[in-house]
Amino acid sequence: MSVLHRFRLRRRGGWLQSPFVWVLGVACLLEVAFHASKYRVPVPPRELDAPFYTSCQEPVTDGPRENAAIVMLARNQEVEKAARSVRSIEERFNRWFKYPIVFLNDDPWSEEFIQTLNASTSAPTFFENVPKDQWTFPSWMDKDAAQASIKDQGDRGILYAGKETYHHMCRFFSGSFYTIEALKKYKWYWRLEPDVEFSCSITYDPFVEMARHKKVYGFTISLWEEKRTCPSLFREVSDWKEAQKIPSTTLWNAGVDASWMPWPFRSMMSWFSHRDSAGDGWNLCHYWSNFEIADLDFFRGKKYQDLYQHLEHSGGFYFERWGDAAVHSLAVNMLAKPHQVHHFSDFGYRHDWYYQCPANAPGGQLPESKTLNEAQSKWASEIPGGVGCRCDCDGSRNRNHASYCLNKLKAPNTASRPWSTWLLSFIF
């Protein structure tokens, strides 16, 4: 081996033998670990969000009610899908509790829709219209530029982003929905979509239980957001949060993926629009908002409305395709306390092909109940650990989608944390 060759080998591997390099590497690893630890979600001392009930209850048909409504946004041409949803919630819940159903439409209702939906429920119904100025582009926005952006988003294959009405809907559900005249008299709402199905009996009043337990937001399914729909949303929300000096809670931290880039390079990550000013990102986990049971006053409050106005004037509802689910989720995680968010793990629910199906509670199906037997006389097998009431879906498989986001968003309230969730958090 020549002298020159030996010299090259030493140069090539010499940096690995430098104590300075090793000290610097260890320091970077420690700094990164310390930074990530700031987003650690500690295990709570007790379960903070247990199911309200873990078996069937005898429905209290004459008990006190909350000031609440079931709300559906629909179109006349969705009459059959809307009727299926209303029949399902009627069979599984509202036949006993009779909460009013408010239907919203940006066009006048057809007589066929009104007659069909009235025939699908025993509850009071109200058919209202969304004001035209709340289902259009903001007055200050360049409409031609917004429409060109919508077309471009559609051409690039971004989910639903090529539909102008979809942008209007997401903007509406993110903001003026909460202050619309038709809902001003209510405090609580249960959002119902056309073409959904409830596969378990709901034999207690969720509005009463939400109020009793001081909850503000309830959900069934949690999924990843489509990243291309909202590349700058997290940055806009986190910048507003920082400007308002709102402290981070464990619920907010559960939605953040801490950057593994060491200082000072981490701050360079903030150049990317989908990261906050510190270079950390959003894990894209959100509550699927086609099902929500929530406190209207929470969203009518000054903080949420100020946030919405900030987002509104950024233009992202049209120049990107910000979904109301993502907006609601980031707002709830920022403004609510962890114990104020409830997962309805005992509700069987399907929308599109995604579903949640709890197992039936052993010994808790009240087979002798005449009231329940009038609605549902057959149900799926009872499984140990089940919390469902007369569910007719297969409870041996609780859901047909990844549970990563559900586990992440429930972490502040529970000690039940599958190891796979934390392993995946290093990958995504």
Side-chain angles (χ1 to χ4, degrees):
M1 182 181 294
S2 68
V3 174
L4 179 61
H5 185 59
R6 286 199 297 269
F7 177 73
R8 286 175 175 170
L9 285 176
R10 285 174 185 155
R11 287 193 63 190
R12 197 175 298 165
W15 66 274
L16 291 174
Q17 301 171 12
S18 169
F20 174 76
V21 171
W22 280 99
V23 170
L24 181 62
V26 170
C28 286
L29 288 175
L30 290 174
E31 192 280 333
V32 166
F34 175 75
H35 175 72
S37 71
K38 293 189 292 185
Y39 292 95
R40 185 180 70 87
V41 178
V43 177
R46 56 184 175 83
E47 292 295 316
L48 301 178
D49 184 43
F52 294 140
Y53 294 94
T54 57
S55 63
C56 293
Q57 305 297 304
E58 195 68 39
V60 181
T61 57
D62 57 353
R65 298 286 185 261
E66 288 295 321
N67 180 18
I70 298 166
V71 185
M72 176 187 285
L73 178 71
R75 294 275 177 91
N76 288 315
Q77 58 266 33
E78 295 178 297
V79 57
E80 290 304 323
K81 291 181 178 180
R84 281 200 296 270
S85 296
V86 170
R87 284 194 293 267
S88 181
I89 201 171
E90 170 76 12
E91 177 186 1
R92 291 299 200 165
F93 168 75
N94 219 28
R95 66 190 298 150
W96 303 304
F97 296 95
K98 311 295 185 190
Y99 276 103
I101 306 177
V102 179
F103 297 95
L104 299 175
N105 190 351
D106 62 303
D107 288 322
W109 290 108
S110 69
E111 194 60 34
E112 178 194 9
F113 191 99
I114 293 173
Q115 290 180 1
T116 301
L117 271 298
N118 276 335
S120 302
T121 180
S122 60
T125 56
F126 301 90
F127 297 86
E128 306 286 354
N129 290 112
V130 178
K132 290 297 182 184
D133 62 350
Q134 297 176 14
W135 196 272
T136 187
F137 298 96
S139 58
W140 53 266
M141 182 173 284
D142 184 333
K143 181 179 177 181
D144 292 337
Q147 289 178 324
S149 176
I150 290 170
K151 182 180 183 305
D152 176 65
Q153 292 171 56
D155 292 343
R156 287 186 283 129
I158 299 175
L159 188 65
Y160 304 132
K163 300 178 179 180
E164 182 178 308
T165 56
Y166 199 87
H167 290 260
H168 291 328
M169 180 194 72
C170 291
R171 174 180 175 246
F172 171 70
F173 269 129
S174 296
S176 58
F177 168 77
Y178 299 108
T179 57
I180 193 172
E181 189 66 34
L183 298 182
K184 278 187 176 179
K185 64 182 179 180
Y186 300 110
K187 176 175 170 56
W188 298 90
Y189 75 98
W190 178 335
R191 181 167 161 182
L192 183 68
E193 293 279 311
D195 195 25
V196 304
E197 178 185 6
F198 295 91
S199 53
C200 303
S201 292
I202 302 164
T203 54
Y204 63 88
D205 188 331
F207 296 116
V208 168
E209 297 303 323
M210 290 282 285
R212 179 181 298 160
H213 291 86
K214 295 180 170 51
K215 306 285 187 177
V216 298
Y217 191 84
F219 71 102
T220 54
I221 293 174
S222 180
L223 301 170
W224 277 295
E225 180 59 289
E226 174 73 26
K227 189 173 185 177
R228 294 193 300 161
T229 65
C230 54
S232 69
L233 175 61
F234 178 67
R235 180 57 175 269
E236 290 290 343
V237 174
S238 60
D239 280 354
W240 183 86
K241 173 179 177 289
E242 186 176 345
Q244 300 298 314
K245 295 181 172 55
I246 297 175
S248 295
T249 65
T250 55
L251 192 56
W252 176 264
N253 290 345
V256 174
D257 274 344
S259 172
W260 287 91
M261 186 72 72
W263 180 90
F265 305 105
R266 185 184 307 118
S267 61
M268 298 178 184
M269 299 295 287
S270 66
W271 296 346
F272 296 101
S273 63
H274 63 279
R275 291 183 173 268
D276 64 17
S277 60
D280 299 307
W282 175 34
N283 59 23
L284 300 175
C285 291
H286 69 288
Y287 311 108
W288 212 25
S289 63
N290 49 74
F291 173 98
E292 296 176 316
I293 296 180
D295 184 347
L296 283 161
D297 288 342
F298 172 82
F299 290 100
R300 290 168 179 156
K302 185 178 187 307
K303 285 186 178 179
Y304 180 82
Q305 288 298 314
D306 285 351
L307 170 64
Y308 170 70
Q309 289 301 323
H310 171 79
L311 298 178
E312 164 86 336
H313 285 86
S314 72
F317 288 110
Y318 294 98
F319 290 94
E320 295 179 15
R321 201 235 72 193
W322 293 352
D324 55 276
V327 173
H328 292 182
S329 299
L330 288 170
V332 167
N333 289 357
M334 174 173 52
L335 300 175
K337 297 177 181 177
H339 67 270
Q340 293 180 299
V341 178
H342 181 64
H343 176 223
F344 284 98
S345 58
D346 55 320
F347 280 25
Y349 178 74
R350 178 202 59 78
H351 180 52
D352 291 339
W353 73 280
Y354 293 110
Y355 69 75
Q356 172 178 277
C357 173
N360 282 319
Q365 303 307 303
L366 300 185
E368 71 285 353
S369 172
K370 293 181 180 179
T371 302
L372 297 187
N373 288 339
E374 290 174 358
Q376 192 80 13
S377 58
K378 296 181 180 179
W379 52 90
S381 301
E382 300 171 14
I383 299 176
V387 295
C389 174
R390 301 200 176 196
C391 306
D392 56 17
C393 53
D394 181 8
S396 63
R397 188 185 183 195
N398 290 137
R399 60 189 61 85
N400 64 345
H401 53 278
S403 58
Y404 171 84
C405 281
L406 178 63
N407 292 330
K408 288 288 283 186
L409 294 178
K410 288 184 65 175
N413 289 328
T414 182
S416 177
R417 303 180 182 183
W419 65 267
S420 58
T421 299
W422 307 111
L423 175 64
L424 288 171
S425 69
F426 287 94
I427 301 174
F428 293 100

